[in-house]
Amino acid sequence: MDIVNSIFKLAAGIGLFLFAMYFIEEALKNLSGRNFKIFLQRISKNKLGAVSGGAIVTGILQSSSMVTLMVVAFVGAGVFTMKNAFAIILGANLGTTIDSWLVATVGFKMNIEVISYPAVFVGGLLLILFNKRKSIKYLSYFLFGFGLLFIGLSFMKTAMEAQVSAIDFSKFIGLPSIIFLFIGFLITLLVQSSSVTMAITLSALHTGVIDFNAAAAIILGSETGTTIKILISAMGGTASKKRVVLGNLFFNIFLTILAFVFLKPILLLITNVFNINNPLIGLVTFASLINLFAIIIFLPFLDYFAKFLEKFYKDTDASVSAFICNVNTEEPETAIDLFRQETEYFIANSMCFNLALFGVDTKSLDEDSKFSTINNKRKFFSKTTEEKYTFLKQLQGELQAYYLELRTKVEGDQETKLNQLISAVRSSMHSVKSITDIESNISNLERSSKNIKYQFFIHNKQATESLYHKLIGLLKKEKNASFGKLHNIFDEIQNNYSATLNNFYKDAKNNPIEDLDFTTIINFNRELFTSNKAMLMAVKDFLLEEKQAEEFNDVVIYKT
């Protein structure tokens, strides 16, 4: 039973440590994230500066994964070159060992709980009292995380001590180092934090569960284990992002193999030349040393490495467009036809995005759509709201870039139609943006315990779903679309906007409601009207001829 309890205590320690790392990362990222990004941009103009910047930022943020993910995003946006991105990553790997020094020198030599308990108390108290003030909120995150970090470490340490007294670990000490290397890889793969792996290893080393050689092998394995999260983050990203992530994987595998081959000489260097007899200090020295060696060995070859990685992935990999991605504009007729299909695809997915925010099941709409195969391939409906929004923004950007290239090669009716299509794209995105802006209002109304607010939401949800079904029906049967039908739909949008608001005012006379609720309702109603009208305008530009489309513009007026 004692063994089971100690195992649970070890698991709890790991959980607390991970939770603490999350709090610390969130605190530092929100308190100074933009400043760090600007700092990285400025310092990364040369390789040495990039290495230093990566080490400094990671030393403060204490997450090489977070810095690497940030760098990958910058590469995708064209801010960094691959060469400088790898230099930052080299520095980040060194910077992440700083907290290991803190754990090894403080966490096992003094009763850190003396500091950690008050830190948790102050952090929790500030979080409850001042959670609406951003700076104090994230300061409390940091204090709370700092305290939990060492409480989690204490749990791991005492759990390891209990294991030592209950189990004979001597038979494991003679196992080959490669087994411990794979153990380090698997632990880091599971917890996705080399810092946690280091804390567990230091605890095991401190209590005598493993020896110095085995501990070093585990740390080597952790070098590659953290790359999996970064690999996953680049799936579906730009070619340049994929190259950086692939390069990071190659680098970590190379470093692990090289250090493993020379493991014994490196450990002898630490114990016999540097005369470090404390195994805890020796282990963190080992972690820092191999990353320092990696910088010295790898830095001169970054230019060649970047050129080598350019052989992988095509630059079109990042395109989210379904029809225009692989077609040039030299044949305007074909290009406009594909642009039209891409526009319809964009409008259809924009409608599905808006309905999904209202909690409407859009699977039936997609199954009945000619774009269902494309969306299944792109896994559009399995994306989060944020990922869908990013997808739509990127698709709009690709359509806009294609439009700018194509417009120079068309004239007359072709140019007119092209302008209408890009107008439809802009209106559709405007609709999406308006709905996104009231996402919190939607959640507030949908979850409200006040029947007046909830019924207001349900009415608008049903009205919006009905509207979209009519618009989708017109898109599917283009020949049946007419000025009159679209005008009738606009009248419905306008009448619903006015009627629902007036009805709410009437109901509010007999129901207690706060002033803030009035603001929520008014904002929600205005943005929903704006969104629905914008979506109608998108469908209008897509379906009507130029003259009718212009006449429709004269009729439709905002009345908010």
Side-chain angles (χ1 to χ4, degrees):
M1 195 63 184
D2 290 339
I3 295 175
V4 174
N5 286 336
S6 62
I7 291 173
F8 282 152
K9 193 166 188 176
L10 175 63
I14 294 170
L16 283 173
F17 200 95
L18 283 169
F19 194 48
M21 291 294 292
Y22 166 79
F23 267 102
I24 292 171
E25 285 180 19
E26 283 296 305
L28 294 171
K29 184 169 60 176
N30 283 279
L31 286 172
S32 49
R34 182 176 181 274
N35 293 330
F36 279 133
K37 290 178 182 179
I38 294 172
F39 171 74
L40 276 176
Q41 285 179 269
R42 289 176 178 172
I43 204 169
S44 64
K45 293 180 180 179
N46 61 73
K47 289 185 287 188
L48 286 176
V51 170
S52 303
I56 293 169
V57 171
T58 309
I60 297 172
L61 292 181
Q62 273 315 296
S63 174
S64 60
S65 295
M66 189 170 79
V67 173
T68 303
L69 289 170
M70 188 190 302
V71 169
V72 168
F74 274 5
V75 171
V79 177
F80 291 154
T81 62
M82 276 200 298
K83 176 181 68 177
N84 285 351
F86 283 122
I88 293 172
I89 291 170
L90 285 172
N93 289 340
L94 179 62
T96 197
T97 63
I98 292 175
D99 74 327
S100 303
W101 283 95
L102 180 64
V103 170
T105 55
V106 177
F108 291 93
K109 289 190 174 181
M110 62 177 287
N111 186 11
I112 196 66
E113 293 174 1
V114 173
I115 302 173
S116 61
Y117 288 152
V120 170
F121 168 73
V122 174
L125 191 64
L126 290 175
L127 187 60
I128 295 299
L129 296 177
F130 304 103
N131 65 337
K132 292 184 179 180
R133 295 178 60 179
K134 182 179 177 181
S135 57
I136 296 181
K137 174 184 175 180
Y138 290 112
L139 173 62
S140 68
Y141 272 25
F142 178 81
L143 291 172
F144 200 67
F146 177 82
L148 287 181
L149 188 80
F150 286 99
I151 292 172
L153 180 64
S154 175
F155 273 36
M156 285 187 270
K157 184 171 68 173
T158 54
M160 286 291 182
E161 289 170 350
Q163 291 291 329
V164 169
S165 61
I167 301 172
D168 180 15
F169 284 93
S170 59
K171 57 185 176 182
F172 297 112
I173 294 177
L175 290 175
S177 296
I178 195 166
I179 291 178
F180 292 101
L181 184 141
F182 280 110
I183 290 173
F185 173 79
L186 289 173
I187 292 173
T188 313
L189 183 64
L190 290 172
V191 300
Q192 277 305 300
S193 172
S194 57
S195 297
V196 173
T197 306
M198 174 61 85
I200 294 171
T201 308
L202 284 170
S203 298
L205 185 61
H206 175 70
T207 53
V209 172
I210 55 175
D211 61 13
F212 186 38
N213 284 29
I218 290 173
I219 296 307
L220 268 184
S222 71
E223 291 286 332
T224 307
T226 54
T227 61
I228 305 302
K229 178 170 67 176
I230 300 164
L231 275 173
I232 294 170
S233 73
M235 291 176 64
T238 63
S240 56
K241 287 173 69 174
K242 290 179 181 178
R243 288 170 190 147
V244 171
V245 171
L246 183 66
N248 184 52
L249 177 64
F250 285 165
F251 163 74
N252 280 283
I253 291 174
F254 172 79
L255 173 62
T256 301
I257 294 173
L258 185 66
F260 186 74
V261 170
F262 294 99
L263 182 59
K264 288 186 178 180
I266 295 172
L267 297 182
L268 286 174
L269 175 69
I270 293 170
T271 55
N272 295 356
V273 178
F274 294 163
N275 291 320
I276 298 174
N277 297 317
N278 185 326
L280 302 182
I281 302 300
L283 187 62
V284 292
T285 302
F286 171 77
S288 298
L289 202 58
I290 60 171
N291 283 292
L292 183 61
F293 283 161
I295 293 171
I296 295 170
I297 295 169
F298 223 78
L299 199 60
F301 300 100
L302 283 184
D303 290 339
Y304 303 104
F305 190 50
K307 289 179 181 178
F308 165 71
L309 289 171
E310 286 175 0
K311 297 177 182 179
F312 296 89
Y313 304 113
K314 295 179 180 179
D315 287 325
T316 56
D317 281 351
S319 177
V320 298
S321 57
F323 300 96
I324 62 174
C325 54
N326 295 316
V327 179
N328 61 43
T329 57
E330 297 305 320
E331 298 180 10
E333 289 282 353
T334 303
I336 288 178
D337 182 57
L338 293 172
F339 192 88
R340 180 180 177 80
Q341 293 183 63
E342 198 77 62
T343 300
E344 186 178 3
Y345 175 60
F346 183 83
I347 294 172
N349 276 7
S350 296
M351 288 186 185
C352 288
F353 175 89
N354 288 352
L355 288 175
L357 278 187
F358 273 93
V360 176
D361 185 5
T362 56
K363 287 184 179 179
S364 59
L365 291 175
D366 183 54
E367 288 170 358
D368 193 32
S369 167
K370 55 183 169 182
F371 305 119
S372 59
T373 303
I374 297 169
N375 277 332
N376 285 336
K377 184 179 178 181
R378 283 164 170 71
K379 298 180 180 178
F380 179 77
F381 289 95
S382 63
K383 296 179 186 292
T384 64
T385 299
E386 186 177 351
E387 288 170 341
K388 287 179 184 175
Y389 188 60
T390 301
F391 177 92
L392 290 172
K393 287 200 298 182
Q394 186 174 342
L395 182 52
Q396 184 197 16
E398 291 180 24
L399 280 161
Q400 186 68 40
Y402 196 82
Y403 161 78
L404 292 174
E405 184 180 349
L406 182 57
R407 68 183 295 201
T408 61
K409 300 174 183 178
V410 296
E411 56 185 20
D413 291 342
Q414 286 184 331
E415 184 179 9
T416 299
K417 193 59 201 173
L418 185 64
N419 288 336
Q420 279 186 234
L421 291 173
I422 198 64
S423 177
V425 171
R426 287 195 293 266
S427 294
S428 186
M429 194 65 208
H430 183 195
S431 174
V432 168
K433 179 65 167 62
S434 294
I435 292 294
T436 305
D437 287 345
I438 57 170
E439 185 177 2
S440 61
N441 293 152
I442 291 172
S443 179
N444 178 293
L445 293 171
E446 186 178 18
R447 299 176 183 179
S448 178
S449 60
K450 298 177 182 177
N451 193 55
I452 183 175
K453 291 171 64 180
Y454 179 73
Q455 290 302 325
F456 179 85
F457 168 76
I458 292 298
H459 169 80
N460 279 288
K461 174 182 176 179
Q462 292 172 346
T464 302
E465 186 175 3
S466 174
L467 165 69
Y468 277 32
H469 276 288
K470 291 176 183 177
L471 294 177
I472 290 169
L474 290 177
L475 286 173
K476 288 180 178 178
K477 301 175 182 178
E478 295 183 19
K479 293 181 181 178
N480 293 330
S482 66
F483 181 98
K485 287 183 178 180
L486 289 169
H487 190 271
N488 289 337
I489 291 175
F490 172 72
D491 286 340
E492 290 179 22
I493 296 172
Q494 178 66 57
N495 292 336
N496 182 68
Y497 165 73
S498 303
T500 51
L501 197 58
N502 289 331
N503 289 334
F504 180 80
Y505 289 150
K506 291 178 183 177
D507 293 339
K509 292 179 181 179
N510 303 316
N511 291 276
I513 189 165
E514 298 176 6
D515 293 343
L516 187 60
D517 290 333
F518 277 113
T519 303
T520 299
I521 292 293
I522 292 169
N523 181 62
F524 171 87
N525 209 44
R526 182 183 63 249
E527 290 301 325
L528 179 59
F529 170 71
T530 301
S531 175
N532 288 343
K533 176 180 176 291
M535 190 60 74
L536 174 65
M537 297 294 280
V539 173
K540 175 268 301 182
D541 279 324
F542 183 81
L543 295 178
L544 295 185
E545 298 297 328
E546 176 191 8
K547 186 177 179 181
Q548 283 192 319
E550 288 179 355
E551 290 175 357
F552 196 89
N553 290 342
D554 295 333
V555 172
V556 179
I557 303 171
Y558 281 97
K559 297 180 182 178
T560 58

